[in-house]
Amino acid sequence: MQLTVDPRRADRERRYKPPPASSAPAEDLTTDYMNILGMVFSMCGLMMRLKWCAWTAVFCSSISFANSRVSDDTKQIVSSFMLSISAVVMSYLQNPAPMSPPWAALTT
């Protein structure tokens, strides 16, 4: 038994129209978020002498630098990166012992 009737509804068909070229794609804010996180972790690393915060700041600012575009503010990204590097350097100058993970204090 074979159906010869077309099951598609002709009155529901719509022709595809591409979006207008003037509409810009959504902006990716990963760079800005990582830049802010890097600055926050840098300040926590400097003020509270937490080495893991300083290393997280280096990680966040590296992501921000890697995802930046040519049109982004280079001074702000570089200053965030330098702030995170200085947080690592200052935390190790104050206490040169190796970093212990944050969860190590929970087991003792």
Side-chain angles (χ1 to χ4, degrees), residues 76-92:
Q76 186 176 5
I77 294 171
V78 170
S79 66
S80 171
F81 196 73
M82 289 297 135
L83 181 65
S84 63
I85 294 293
S86 66
V88 170
V89 168
M90 291 305 291
S91 64
Y92 277 95

Side-chain angles (χ1 to χ4, degrees), residues 93-105:
L93 281 177
Q94 292 169 358
N95 183 12
M99 182 182 85
S100 60
W103 60 85

Side-chain angles (χ1 to χ4, degrees), residues 3-49:
L3 292 176
T4 58
V5 180
D6 190 4
R8 296 175 287 186
R9 293 180 273 179
D11 60 329
R12 301 280 297 187
E13 290 178 359
R14 275 189 250 136
R15 190 155 188 88
Y16 172 73
K17 295 177 190 169
S22 63
S23 65
E27 188 176 340
D28 185 24
L29 297 176
T30 304
T31 305
D32 297 331
Y33 291 147
M34 286 297 155
N35 199 3
I36 291 170
L37 273 176
M39 288 187 183
V40 167
F41 279 121
S42 295
M43 294 311 289
C44 288
L46 282 171
M47 301 291 183
M48 296 188 277
R49 299 180 185 144

Side-chain angles (χ1 to χ4, degrees), residues 61-82:
S61 59
S62 299
I63 292 173
S64 174
F65 181 70
N67 288 330
S68 65
R69 293 189 172 86
V70 175
S71 61
D72 288 344
D73 187 16
T74 310
K75 284 184 189 177
Q76 186 176 5
I77 294 171
V78 170
S79 66
S80 171
F81 196 73
M82 289 297 135

